[in-house]
């Protein structure tokens, strides 16, 4: 009878260990899903910003402020490569806004032509980023490469 109790106790302990392991696996998967959701939100905000810069131009700085708010958590979710990329997008958006404002009131005609060339170059950069954004974020969003 004593051996049966020991065996039963061992089986219950094994069952509880298995359940605890399964709970651990579920919690880990939930953490990955939560992380993915937060990262995809930053990706979507970035894609939206790039699209707005290409289709609407710089407009008011409101777009930049909205972008900054949407990606504020990025340093906690991504490595330095994506953080630098987001900062570059922000910086170029502000630069484009400044260029457009200067085009409205140029000091000389030659200055205006130069500013228009700069504006075109920045617009092309934003357009190219719409094609490259997926590659920048893939290491963090690809389901086969969870970090």
């Amino acid at each position: 009878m004593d051996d049966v109790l020991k065996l039963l106790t061992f089986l219950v302990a094994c069952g509880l260990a298995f359940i605890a392991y399964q709970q651990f696996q579920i919690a880990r998967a939930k953490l990955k899903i939560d992380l993915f959701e937060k990262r995809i939100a930053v990706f979507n905000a970035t894609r939206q910003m790039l699209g707005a810069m290409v289709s609407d131009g710089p407009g008011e700085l409101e777009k930049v402020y909205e972008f900054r708010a949407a990606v504020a958590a990025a340093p906690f979710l991504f490595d330095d490569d994506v953080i630098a990329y987001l900062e570059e997008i922000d910086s170029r958006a502000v630069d484009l806004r400044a260029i457009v404002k200067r085009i409205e009131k140029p000091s000389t005609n030659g200055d205006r032509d130069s500013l228009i060339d700069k504006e075109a170059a920045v617009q092309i950069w934003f357009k190219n980023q719409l094609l490259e954004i997926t590659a920048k974020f893939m290491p963090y969003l690809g389901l086969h490469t969870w970090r």
Side-chain angles (χ1 to χ4, degrees):
M1 179 74 170
D2 195 36
D3 290 339
V4 171
L5 286 176
K6 287 180 183 176
L7 178 62
L8 193 56
T9 302
F10 176 74
L11 291 175
V12 169
C14 287
L16 290 175
F18 178 75
I19 291 170
Y21 178 73
Q22 292 299 314
Q23 290 292 325
F24 168 75
Q25 294 288 24
I26 291 169
R28 197 162 100 186
K30 173 81 169 101
L31 176 65
K32 288 180 181 181
I33 290 169
D34 291 345
L35 186 57
F36 176 83
E37 288 175 351
K38 291 182 185 317
R39 286 176 171 173
I40 199 74
V42 172
F43 170 80
N44 287 333
T46 304
R47 189 181 59 197
Q48 184 178 15
M49 175 67 167
L50 293 173
M53 295 307 289
V54 169
S55 65
D56 303 334
E60 296 303 315
L61 286 178
E62 188 70 26
K63 289 179 193 175
V64 175
Y65 299 143
E66 289 172 5
F67 174 69
R68 287 176 182 170
V71 302
F76 305 106
L77 303 170
F78 298 98
D79 291 336
D80 291 339
D81 59 334
V82 172
I83 304 308
Y85 181 62
L86 297 173
E87 288 171 354
E88 184 174 11
I89 291 169
D90 183 283
S91 176
R92 286 185 184 249
V94 171
D95 290 347
L96 183 58
R97 172 84 173 123
I99 290 168
V100 168
K101 285 296 185 185
R102 287 183 56 209
I103 288 173
E104 293 172 1
K105 297 179 184 177
S107 57
T108 65
N109 280 344
D111 188 34
R112 188 175 198 289
D113 293 340
S114 172
L115 290 170
I116 289 172
D117 290 342
K118 286 180 182 179
E119 178 188 20
V122 175
Q123 286 284 4
I124 289 169
W125 184 86
F126 277 113
K127 183 178 177 185
N128 290 338
Q129 297 316 298
L130 284 169
L131 302 173
E132 295 181 21
I133 186 174
T134 302
K136 298 277 187 187
F137 281 83
M138 185 58 72
Y140 303 93
L141 296 174
L143 296 178
H144 60 282
T145 57
W146 284 101
R147 286 186 170 196

